[in-house]
Amino acid sequence: SSLDSIKLNEAVFKTLLLSSVEAVKASKEYLFLEDEAREQEQLLSDLGVLLAQSQTYKNNLAQDLLSILERHQTLINSMTTNPKLDGFGVLLEKVKAYLQSH
């Protein structure tokens, strides 16, 4: 796709990170199992820490974002199989795939 030619710079990274945060925040409106709700809170917390760190951009932050998404893969998988949340799960999968390719 056309995104493949975009180099991972600060603006691209911050867009990926903010998109991930917004996807998780927006998905909070829907009911989760208790375990998933806890994991969702942890994912949001992890992303929030990374967001604070991104005020001083460093290249390794992209690897940190990828690690966070990989750590919460079970939740992301669950989101992609829930009709109300599948769009959010797909977005997080696409962010992860993009980071893996850069």
Side-chain angles (χ1 to χ4, degrees):
S1 79
S2 60
L3 283 179
D4 294 338
S5 62
I6 297 174
K7 194 170 176 215
L8 186 60
N9 60 28
E10 182 175 4
V12 172
F13 167 76
K14 286 191 174 176
T15 299
L16 293 173
L17 177 57
L18 288 172
S19 296
S20 299
V21 169
E22 288 305 312
V24 177
K25 279 184 182 176
S27 69
K28 286 175 69 91
E29 297 174 21
Y30 301 98
L31 294 174
F32 278 93
L33 299 174
E34 194 173 319
D35 288 350
E36 290 177 334
R38 273 198 300 277
E39 186 175 354
Q40 187 186 39
E41 284 296 325
Q42 185 59 53
L43 174 54
L44 202 52
S45 172
D46 293 348
L47 291 173
V49 169
L50 194 58
L51 196 55
Q53 292 173 345
S54 73
Q55 301 311 312
T56 54
Y57 180 72
K58 298 180 219 59
N59 284 333
N60 66 327
L61 291 177
Q63 186 58 47
D64 292 346
L65 177 55
L66 179 58
S67 294
I68 289 169
L69 294 176
E70 287 174 340
R71 197 165 52 243
H72 295 284
Q73 187 62 51
T74 304
L75 177 64
I76 294 169
N77 289 346
S78 178
M79 291 170 78
T80 57
T81 60
N82 180 330
K84 291 182 177 177
L85 300 175
D86 61 347
F88 302 121
V90 168
L91 173 72
L92 293 171
E93 284 289 355
K94 287 187 180 286
V95 168
K96 198 175 104 188
Y98 183 81
L99 291 168
Q100 287 170 330
S101 71
H102 286 76

